[in-house]
Amino acid sequence: NAEAGGMSGALGLLMVGLSPLSGSGETSCCAYVLMVTAVYWVSEAVPLGAAALVPAFLYPLFGVLKSSEVAAEYCKDTTLLLMGVICLAASIEKWNLHKRIALRMVMIAGAKPGMLVLGFMCCTVFLSMWLSNTSTTAMVMPIAEAVLQQLISTMEEGEAETQRLKTHLLLDSSSHIVPAIILFQIAVEIPNLKRVKARRDSQYPTKRDHMICKCLSLSITYAATIGGLITITGTSTNLIFAEQFNTRYPEAKVINFGTWFIFSFPIAIIMLVLTWLWLHFLFLGCNFRETCSLSKKRKTRREMMSERRIHEEYEKLGPISYPEVVTGVFFILMTLLWFTREPGFVPGWTSLFEKKGYRTDATVSVLLGFLLFLIPARRPFSSSNENSGSDPLAPMITWKDFQRLMPWEIVILVGGGYALAAGCKVSGLSMWIGRQLEPMSGLPPWAVTLLACLLVSAVTEFASNPATLTVFLPILSALSETLLINPLHTLIPSTMCVSFGVMLPVGNPPNAIVFSYGHVKISDMVKAGFGVNLIGVAVVMLAITTWGVPLFNLTEFPVWAMARNVTGSL
């Protein structure tokens, strides 16, 4: 009933505005479209992708943009970039390369609780750099759950074995022990048997086991969020920022795969370490020597059993296959081509071409993604017995593999954001918003950025990350232009902080996946997520005021923003 009421209310909002605003100025009409779309996104009365289609019919109806102009906003360069990355992700999943990487990293870390959590966090961060946060969490959590169940079952087996040994010793030595000691032994054993039975009635043998489960589960969702910050393609909000920024400031050639990576990689490393320390303190205590020792002498029986289980899972994968090798080569090649396209400090490979500006990261992504549909998954000149029964010309991935992972809803959502931004630019709404924010001109740039980060990170706890960023980017751009602050000073930190919706299961899909396993309660997620949120905002502010300044030349109001400001005011 509540959902039906929300849908009827949203429908009423749409219908009420159609008649009075149809004859109003373009600025008012654009403001109305922005408001309606934002309400749909925040309330989720309809799917996010469906809500993103609102500008496609309201802008033409109100005379803000032509239908052909709106349609052109729904497919941009980043759409092709995402499609190429999804092709590679489909190949990684299909041939289990992600599982091999995850298990290998956990084997290196060991089974000590502290090192186990750090190992899972490292492999999750690495995978989330290239795959979506949701896909990474969905891949890693089953592996983590198998390890956790092994820890729990080993503990229960260990306690049962201890009881059997004590009983055996008691019977063997009964002829040599006085009756008083026998009675004392029986008196001690009865409570222990009751304790074991009570523990078996519970899901976790001990409270410490429960804490390990909580710590490991939450570490995976936080690590997926951290990993998504590192690359432009790591999460949809990074793509939204890149395309909206490049559309609004076409003369600014400062945001590409390389510059983003150089800025965000130190942020991710610092956040990874601090988040691990925070979770360790919260759930495992401060005894790092006990939980993080790599010495074999300090390993317990259950930890050795867990390591054996991980090795068994890895051995099930068998020797590395030809498709895994091809996928790994494509993965490395795509990364190298992105880095060397326009590195900045030396000429990139695009300088070999006569015409400049034609090739982007999407060109590399789509080219390599297309080749995965052509290259056979079977090793050339292999024996006839190998892969018997399968098509020898079957490609690395099929269209079904691609279709299964391609997030079309995100593509349309991003397109809706571009359409809204284009309408705000044409109608003059962005300039009007900027003029209303002129009283903030007395604040220093770092204070404006901090307020933006705190506001965005608070809103995103209750609304989807892409929708929140899509609404805030045009407003923050106009604010930066009005206050003569380099737009990157506010836009990059806000883009990163919008990913810090980690306090509630509804904050983002990885949170919901981890919560569904039942190890954590909402109170655990709020308590741990609040600390991670503060860590994230603090580290991002540190980055934008230190190494971000020379990297993006943040001390000056750039010419490309000045040209945009003058054009908008005209």
Side-chain angles (χ1 to χ4, degrees):
N1 292 337
E3 184 177 350
M7 292 181 66
S8 61
L11 180 62
L13 173 64
L14 177 63
M15 298 307 296
V16 165
L18 284 175
S19 53
L21 283 176
S22 58
S24 303
E26 287 186 2
T27 303
S28 301
C29 293
C30 184
Y32 170 73
V33 175
L34 179 63
M35 182 174 60
V36 170
T37 309
V39 168
Y40 277 135
W41 275 338
V42 174
S43 65
E44 297 190 32
V46 295
L48 294 177
L53 295 174
V54 169
F57 61 86
L58 283 188
Y59 275 163
L61 287 176
F62 291 162
V64 177
L65 286 172
K66 295 179 181 179
S67 183
S68 57
E69 294 173 335
V70 179
E73 299 295 330
Y74 279 84
C75 186
K76 292 285 190 176
D77 187 63
T78 49
T79 305
L80 298 178
L81 175 65
L82 180 63
M83 292 175 71
V85 171
I86 292 300
C87 289
L88 182 61
S91 183
I92 289 173
E93 278 199 39
K94 182 176 182 178
W95 303 109
N96 276 330
L97 183 60
H98 64 287
K99 191 172 184 180
R100 186 179 295 276
I101 293 171
L103 287 173
R104 176 51 96 182
M105 295 184 76
V106 173
M107 285 165 61
I108 294 172
K112 284 285 184 181
M115 297 306 296
L116 186 67
V117 170
L118 183 59
F120 267 103
M121 290 184 75
C122 289
C123 72
T124 304
V125 166
F126 179 76
L127 292 173
S128 187
M129 289 168 60
W130 317 104
L131 311 177
S132 73
N133 299 354
T134 305
S135 297
T136 302
T137 307
M139 292 174 194
V140 177
M141 268 307 293
I143 301 173
E145 182 67 15
V147 174
L148 291 174
Q149 293 304 321
Q150 182 63 33
L151 282 171
I152 293 172
S153 62
T154 306
M155 181 64 182
E156 291 177 345
E157 290 172 6
E159 290 200 355
E161 182 67 21
T162 302
Q163 295 299 323
R164 285 196 297 270
L165 286 173
K166 286 183 177 181
T167 305
H168 182 67
L169 289 172
L170 180 63
L171 292 175
D172 285 350
S173 56
S174 58
S175 57
H176 307 285
I177 300 177
V178 295
I181 297 180
I182 295 175
L183 291 174
F184 175 77
Q185 179 70 29
I186 293 173
V188 171
E189 289 302 323
I190 290 174
N192 285 345
L193 291 172
K194 290 181 178 179
R195 176 164 51 88
V196 171
K197 184 178 184 301
R199 284 178 181 171
R200 285 177 177 168
D201 292 339
S202 172
Q203 184 182 356
Y204 310 99
T206 66
K207 183 179 179 181
R208 181 171 178 76
D209 288 308
H210 194 186
M211 289 299 170
I212 293 173
C213 292
K214 288 181 180 182
C215 186
L216 185 56
S217 299
L218 289 175
S219 70
I220 289 172
T221 182
Y222 299 152
T225 297
I226 294 170
L229 300 176
I230 299 177
T231 60
I232 283 287
T233 58
T235 184
S236 58
T237 51
N238 294 356
L239 288 170
I240 291 172
F241 158 74
E243 187 58 42
Q244 287 210 18
F245 179 82
N246 291 329
T247 301
R248 189 179 182 94
Y249 308 107
E251 300 300 321
K253 307 296 183 182
V254 291
I255 296 297
N256 54 47
F257 186 89
T259 55
W260 184 274
F261 184 88
I262 292 171
F263 176 74
S264 59
F265 186 72
I267 294 176
I269 295 299
I270 297 171
M271 279 195 66
L272 175 65
V273 174
L274 293 180
T275 301
W276 175 67
L277 291 173
W278 165 244
L279 292 176
H280 195 292
F281 166 75
L282 200 62
F283 296 107
L284 303 179
C286 298
N287 191 353
F288 290 91
R289 187 175 181 182
E290 178 187 343
T291 61
C292 303
S293 174
L294 296 177
S295 173
K296 292 185 178 181
K297 295 180 180 179
R298 291 180 174 272
K299 290 181 181 178
T300 62
R301 178 177 177 273
R302 60 187 305 207
E303 289 165 354
M304 294 175 66
M305 290 284 289
S306 298
E307 288 186 1
R308 192 181 308 162
R309 173 65 181 271
I310 294 171
H311 278 272
E312 289 173 357
E313 289 292 322
Y314 187 82
E315 288 171 0
K316 287 179 184 178
L317 296 176
I320 188 166
S321 63
Y322 172 74
E324 287 179 90
V325 173
V326 173
T327 303
V329 170
F330 270 59
F331 174 81
I332 296 171
L333 185 60
M334 183 179 289
T335 307
L336 289 177
L337 289 174
W338 277 343
F339 266 114
T340 57
R341 182 176 65 85
E342 289 180 356
F345 53 91
V346 292
W349 57 263
T350 54
S351 62
L352 300 175
F353 296 89
E354 184 178 351
K355 292 185 177 181
K356 310 299 180 186
Y358 281 73
R359 289 147 290 273
T360 66
D361 291 338
T363 310
V364 174
S365 176
V366 173
L367 171 62
L368 296 181
F370 175 73
L371 290 178
L372 288 171
F373 289 101
L374 287 179
I375 297 176
R378 185 173 175 177
R379 186 195 306 271
F381 312 111
S382 60
S383 61
S384 57
N385 293 331
E386 188 177 337
N387 292 329
S388 59
S390 62
D391 183 2
L393 297 179
M396 290 287 295
I397 59 171
T398 64
W399 188 256
K400 285 185 178 181
D401 299 326
F402 168 79
Q403 184 75 7
R404 182 171 53 85
L405 287 186
M406 184 63 192
W408 292 111
E409 184 182 36
I410 294 297
V411 171
I412 298 174
L413 176 64
V414 172
Y418 302 154
L420 285 175
C424 291
K425 177 181 177 181
V426 171
S427 66
L429 177 62
S430 59
M431 293 306 302
W432 179 87
I433 293 173
R435 286 194 293 270
Q436 309 311 307
L437 299 173
E438 285 181 356
M440 296 179 65
S441 59
L443 294 175
W446 67 266
V448 175
T449 302
L450 179 60
L451 288 174
C453 289
L454 293 175
L455 178 61
V456 166
S457 59
V459 173
T460 195
E461 292 290 350
F462 306 97
S464 74
N465 299 352
T468 302
L469 188 66
T470 303
V471 171
F472 273 94
L473 278 180
I475 298 174
L476 294 175
S477 298
L479 172 63
S480 300
E481 293 165 10
T482 302
L483 303 182
L484 299 181
I485 300 172
N486 190 321
L488 292 173
H489 204 296
T490 55
L491 298 183
I492 291 180
S494 300
T495 300
M496 292 195 158
C497 288
V498 83
S499 296
F500 299 153
V502 294
M503 291 175 59
L504 295 170
V506 297
N508 56 49
N511 283 11
I513 291 172
V514 167
F515 185 76
S516 68
Y517 277 80
H519 295 302
V520 297
K521 298 182 292 186
I522 291 182
S523 58
D524 299 320
M525 195 167 275
V526 170
K527 184 167 54 176
F530 182 72
V532 174
N533 211 326
L534 292 181
I535 290 171
V537 172
V539 174
V540 168
M541 287 301 300
L542 172 67
I544 204 66
T545 54
T546 52
W547 66 85
V549 174
L551 182 62
F552 299 115
N553 196 19
L554 298 179
T555 55
E556 299 177 1
F557 188 66
V559 176
W560 45 261
M562 195 179 300
R564 171 67 178 79
N565 203 10
V566 171
T567 305
S569 61
L570 292 177

